[in-house]
């Protein structure tokens, strides 16, 4: 230790080998009573460049020494808690580095030279950073931690939408709200997080803990968000031991629930309770039921997890790839397992190749899970021969949340760790100009007028798009340069995709439904929609769709014309707001004016009238 203090170390290995990792402890307070019920252990390195935990862990990651450092920090935290007397009724919160979850035997989470006392109560904190990278390992870790008698906290909830999406799967006992929720001005994002977290807490009994409470304003916001526990400088900064003179109490957690330790051994269909009615249906019906669940997931957006089963990789058709590409762009996490499926079948879609003996290979499963919604289509192949669409399956469609969670756990417990491999590239899209020639000029694309048509579409100030109804998922087959400028998306990224990628969480679903109904009926339609650009900014799109019919009268394409009317919509809203304020002011002044001898006059009085 003296050598480290004289000459600051530069490697994480040297810090660990010298035993220079220590812990400080920050109090966690019960907001109603003011009692300290827990302490969070925070790692510290030796004095010098590696003293701050962020720097220390960054160096360890670069050295490939992350797992060893993570174990050393946790061991220091638990030893320090025992030495400082942070035993029952107090609880100690300790962290696990997400990237180290499965690099070493899971026993290393609890591996200490000395046996821990029975009255050391521990909550293990997990962040959303581990969720997408290693879902299978994370779920196994959570199950084992619960078997060991420890509780689970989900940390930094609200920093990323993914933490909200995985909350029902991890089933944390404590939800730690990210500090920005109490420190920033309320907005739509905070409202969405609050809705999701409170729904989960109400259903599960989980405890909400607000971080970053530094003053009375933060404390009031924490209470408003539903937090019953608080942490921050208002209650105490990290120190070597317990805060002197503080009243203490016990942390009340929800009743321990059994862990899904066997999730990887059971199939989703086997998760169905005996009382659930199982029916039979042909594959054609299951396709439509699956699409409906996928559409529901698209509406749920970034707080949703989708997990599916494809019996064989050949069932991932071009139309399916397009649908799942859109899903992967719109929802938090999408996974698909099946025979010969790679780790990443397409960008953003997580996969896994099923073993020949895995019972899931005989199933058709689609699971959709979010804080406010749960549904699962669980089916088993009955082994019919004959036409593919007529093949029969035994199936159940369930919305029972515990069943859906178990089915999701079953599938995600099979998902391979993210390897960083790139998914196979999609076939190159046909150039926009070529597509325009083919669709708008017919077979004789070389005849006079084609060049003029292309030039006209290129200089039109409004966005022009063409959707082909004859292709799977009704993709865009042409966009003009004005559409590229309006949306921020280059043509190469949008051709071949359904235009729903423009929709965001705040897009009016009723307007979208009216447009879909008009397209299904082959009728023209015009709506003003809130859309998203490629950079995530929003714009108001005055979109009109006109059907194009073939020689038989069938609608084969739709031509869309888009205009940015953001300035107009915002001006209209500002005017409406001002009118509301005027009416409120008029209502407040009316009684006062009548009391002053101006009966019935409720509008503002001119300066001249006041003087008279």
């Amino acid at each position: 230790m003296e050598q480290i203090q004289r000459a600051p170390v530069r490697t994480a290995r040297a810090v660990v080998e010298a035993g220079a990792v220590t812990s400080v402890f920050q109090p966690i307070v019960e907001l109603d009573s003011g009692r300290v019920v827990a302490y969070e252990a925070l790692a510290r390195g030796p004095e010098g460049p590696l003293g701050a935990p962020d720097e220390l862990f960054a160096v360890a990651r670069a050295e490939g020494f992350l797992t060893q450092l993570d174990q050393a920090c946790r061991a220091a935290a638990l030893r320090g808690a025992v030495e400082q007397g942070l035993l029952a009724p107090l609880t100690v919160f300790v962290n696990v580095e997400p990237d180290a979850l499965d690099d070493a035997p899971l026993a290393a989470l609890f591996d200490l030279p000395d046996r821990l006392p029975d009255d050391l109560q521990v909550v293990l904190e997990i962040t959303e950073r581990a969720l997408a990278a290693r879902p299978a390992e994370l779920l196994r870790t959570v199950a084992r931690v619960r078997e060991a008698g420890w509780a689970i906290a989900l940390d930094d909830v609200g920093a990323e939408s993914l933490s909200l999406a995985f909350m029902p799967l991890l089933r944390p006992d404590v939800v730690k709200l990210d500090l920005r929720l109490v420190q920033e001005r309320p907005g739509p994002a905070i409202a969405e997080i609050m809705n999701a977290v409170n729904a989960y807490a109400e259903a599960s009994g989980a405890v909400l803990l607000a971080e970053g409470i530094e003053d009375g304003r933060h404390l009031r916001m924490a209470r408003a968000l539903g937090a019953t526990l608080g942490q921050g400088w208002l209650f105490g900064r990290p120190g070597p031991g317990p805060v002197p003179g503080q009243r203490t109490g016990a942390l009340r957690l929800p009743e321990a629930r059994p862990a899904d330790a066997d999730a990887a051994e059971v199939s989703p269909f086997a998760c169905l309770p005996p009382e659930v009615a199982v029916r039979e249906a042909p594959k054609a019906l299951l396709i439509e039921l699956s699409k409906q669940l996928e559409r529901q997931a698209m509406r749920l957006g970034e707080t949703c997890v989708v997990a599916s089963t494809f019996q064989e990789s050949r069932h991932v058709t071009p139309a399916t790839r397009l649908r799942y590409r859109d899903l992967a762009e719109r929802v938090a996490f999408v996974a698909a397992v099946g025979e010969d499926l790679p780790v990443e079948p397409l960008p953003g879609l997580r996969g896994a190749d099923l073993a020949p003996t895995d019972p899931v290979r005989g199933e058709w499963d689609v699971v959709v899970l979010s804080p406010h919604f749960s549904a699962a289509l669980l089916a088993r192949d009955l082994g019919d021969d004959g036409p593919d669409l007529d093949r029969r399956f035994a199936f159940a469609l369930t919305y029972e949340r515990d069943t859906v969670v178990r089915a999701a756990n079953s599938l995600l417990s099979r998902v391979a760790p993210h390897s960083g491999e790139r998914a196979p590239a999609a076939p190159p899209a046909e150039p926009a100009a070529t597509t325009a020639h083919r669709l708008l000029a017919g077979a004789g694309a070389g005849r006079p007028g084609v060049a003029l048509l292309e030039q006209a579409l290129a200089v039109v100030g409004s966005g022009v798009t063409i959707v082909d109804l004859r292709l799977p998922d009704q993709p865009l087959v042409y966009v003009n340069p004005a559409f590229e400028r309006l949306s921020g998306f280059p043509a190469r990224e949008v051709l071949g995709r359904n235009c729903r990628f423009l929709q965001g969480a705040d897009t009016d679903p009723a307007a979208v439904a009216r447009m879909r109904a008009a397209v299904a009926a082959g009728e023209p339609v015009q709506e003003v929609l809130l859309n998203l650009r490629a950079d995530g900014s929003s714009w108001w799109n005055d979109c009109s769709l006109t059907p194009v019919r073939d020689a038989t009268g069938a609608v084969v394409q739709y031509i869309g014309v888009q205009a940015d009317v953001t300035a107009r919509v915002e001006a209209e809203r500002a005017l409406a707001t001002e009118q509301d304020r005027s009416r409120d002011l008029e209502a407040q002044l009316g009684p006062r004016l009548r009391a002053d001898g101006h009966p019935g006059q409720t509008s503002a009085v001119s300066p001249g009238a006041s003087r008279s």
Side-chain angles (χ1 to χ4, degrees):
M1 182 69 75
E2 291 180 2
Q3 181 180 1
I4 290 177
Q5 291 174 344
R6 289 197 305 269
V9 292
R10 301 288 178 178
T11 69
R13 180 185 295 273
V15 171
V16 172
E17 290 177 350
V21 176
T22 59
S23 282
V24 292
F25 300 90
Q26 185 172 31
I28 295 172
V29 173
E30 191 176 60
L31 297 182
D32 285 344
S33 67
R35 295 180 302 177
V36 175
V37 295
Y39 283 87
E40 180 179 359
L42 304 169
R44 295 291 185 267
E47 290 187 11
L50 299 186
D54 290 347
E55 295 295 332
L56 181 58
F57 273 85
V59 169
R61 188 174 282 105
E63 293 176 15
F65 204 70
L66 187 65
T67 299
Q68 295 89 333
L69 175 63
D70 179 66
Q71 293 170 359
C73 290
R74 198 161 38 257
L78 296 175
R79 278 198 213 93
V82 173
E83 292 169 1
Q84 295 295 330
L86 303 180
L87 305 174
L90 292 171
T91 299
V92 178
F93 284 60
V94 297
N95 295 276
V96 58
E97 177 61 30
D99 296 339
L101 274 176
D102 206 51
D103 283 355
L106 197 62
L109 283 174
F110 322 100
D111 193 14
L112 289 174
D114 303 317
R115 185 177 181 276
L116 296 174
D118 293 336
D119 53 352
L120 176 64
Q121 300 179 151
V122 180
V123 175
L124 188 70
E125 294 190 28
I126 296 173
T127 71
E128 78 284 345
R129 287 177 293 158
L131 305 183
R134 312 180 73 86
E137 289 83 353
L138 180 65
L139 293 173
R140 285 199 294 271
T141 298
V142 168
R144 292 289 303 278
V145 166
R146 293 193 185 282
E147 288 177 354
W150 290 11
I152 295 291
L154 184 57
D155 197 11
D156 298 333
V157 171
E160 296 288 343
S161 298
L162 193 61
S163 59
L164 301 179
F166 270 75
M167 201 160 47
L169 286 167
L170 295 175
R171 297 186 299 183
D173 307 284
V174 180
V175 176
K176 298 191 71 175
L177 304 178
D178 186 65
L179 59 84
R180 74 181 183 91
L181 299 182
V182 300
Q183 295 185 356
E184 293 183 4
R185 183 180 180 86
I190 290 179
E192 180 183 29
I193 295 164
M194 181 179 175
N195 282 332
V197 168
N198 279 266
Y200 171 75
E202 184 177 46
S204 66
V207 179
L208 303 188
L209 191 164
E211 297 183 284
I213 300 177
E214 298 178 1
D215 54 35
R217 182 175 62 84
H218 295 162
L219 177 59
R220 289 190 294 274
M221 179 59 73
R223 291 180 182 275
L225 291 169
T228 59
L229 301 177
Q231 182 178 0
W233 289 359
L234 181 64
F235 308 116
R237 301 195 179 198
V243 178
Q246 288 280 7
R247 294 183 300 129
T248 61
L251 175 62
R252 294 188 291 269
L253 295 176
E255 183 178 350
R257 285 163 290 184
D260 290 330
D262 62 343
E265 279 72 51
V266 301
S267 74
F269 190 83
C271 294
L272 288 169
E275 63 272 14
V276 172
V278 175
R279 293 166 279 175
E280 290 186 6
K283 178 179 177 179
L285 176 60
L286 297 190
I287 290 175
E288 297 306 319
L289 292 176
S290 299
K291 289 181 178 178
Q292 174 58 33
L293 288 179
E294 292 163 12
R295 288 192 289 270
Q296 179 66 43
M298 295 282 282
R299 288 191 286 270
L300 294 168
E302 293 183 348
T303 60
C304 179
V305 169
V306 177
S308 300
T309 302
F310 296 99
Q311 292 174 292
E312 303 171 20
S313 59
R314 64 184 177 88
H315 292 144
V316 185
T317 64
T320 304
R321 289 179 66 88
L322 289 173
R323 296 202 319 272
Y324 272 75
R325 181 176 66 182
D326 286 343
L327 269 175
E329 291 176 349
R330 291 288 300 277
V331 307
F333 187 88
V334 188
V337 300
E339 180 185 0
D340 294 330
L341 279 182
V343 170
E344 193 174 13
L346 56 97
L349 176 63
R350 298 292 300 283
D353 179 16
L354 297 177
T357 57
D358 196 317
V360 178
R361 289 182 63 165
E363 295 190 6
W364 179 315
D365 306 305
V366 180
V367 179
V368 177
L369 184 63
S370 80
H372 305 293
F373 180 83
S374 58
L377 170 64
L378 308 177
R380 179 169 288 165
D381 195 334
L382 294 178
D384 289 348
D385 295 326
D388 188 55
L389 291 179
D390 293 337
R391 290 168 48 214
R392 292 177 306 128
F393 288 76
F395 84 98
L397 187 62
T398 179
Y399 301 90
E400 201 279 317
R401 194 166 188 81
D402 285 344
T403 302
V404 175
V405 168
R406 287 207 72 207
N409 265 313
S410 171
L411 290 178
L412 294 186
S413 293
R414 292 166 162 83
V415 173
H418 192 274
S419 63
E421 300 174 2
R422 292 189 61 84
E430 186 177 21
T434 304
T435 306
H437 292 176
R438 176 171 57 79
L439 289 173
L440 300 180
R447 69 177 187 265
V450 169
L452 181 61
L453 174 63
E454 181 180 351
Q455 292 173 11
L457 291 174
V459 300
V460 167
S462 298
V464 177
T465 58
I466 301 174
V467 169
D468 197 326
L469 302 190
R470 298 167 298 183
L471 297 178
D473 205 33
Q474 303 177 358
L476 290 165
V477 292
Y478 173 76
V479 297
N480 73 336
F483 175 84
E484 295 181 89
R485 291 192 297 271
L486 283 174
S487 68
F489 289 97
R492 65 180 180 275
E493 293 185 10
V494 301
L495 295 179
R497 298 171 61 186
N498 187 288
C499 58
R500 69 174 67 93
F501 66 86
L502 292 170
Q503 299 169 23
D506 296 324
T507 303
D508 183 3
V512 174
R514 288 192 295 270
M515 297 183 78
R516 286 179 178 159
V519 170
E523 300 172 349
V525 63
Q526 181 175 2
E527 293 283 350
V528 177
L529 299 168
L530 186 65
N531 282 165
L532 295 179
R533 292 190 175 90
D535 62 4
S537 61
S538 59
W539 61 293
W540 287 97
N541 179 6
D542 189 346
C543 178
S544 63
L545 302 180
T546 303
V548 177
R549 301 179 184 273
D550 63 11
T552 68
V555 177
V556 291
Q557 288 116 20
Y558 261 85
I559 295 179
V561 178
Q562 295 85 19
D564 186 349
V565 294
T566 303
R568 188 192 80 193
V569 172
E570 291 179 349
E572 291 172 349
R573 291 188 166 196
L575 177 61
T577 300
E578 191 60 35
Q579 289 173 337
D580 288 342
R581 290 177 58 189
S582 296
R583 282 193 291 268
D584 291 343
L585 181 60
E586 192 174 325
Q588 294 171 14
L589 291 178
R592 188 179 305 169
L593 292 172
R594 287 193 292 273
D596 291 339
H598 298 276
Q601 184 175 340
T602 58
S603 59
V605 182
S606 69
S610 297
R611 286 195 296 270
S612 66

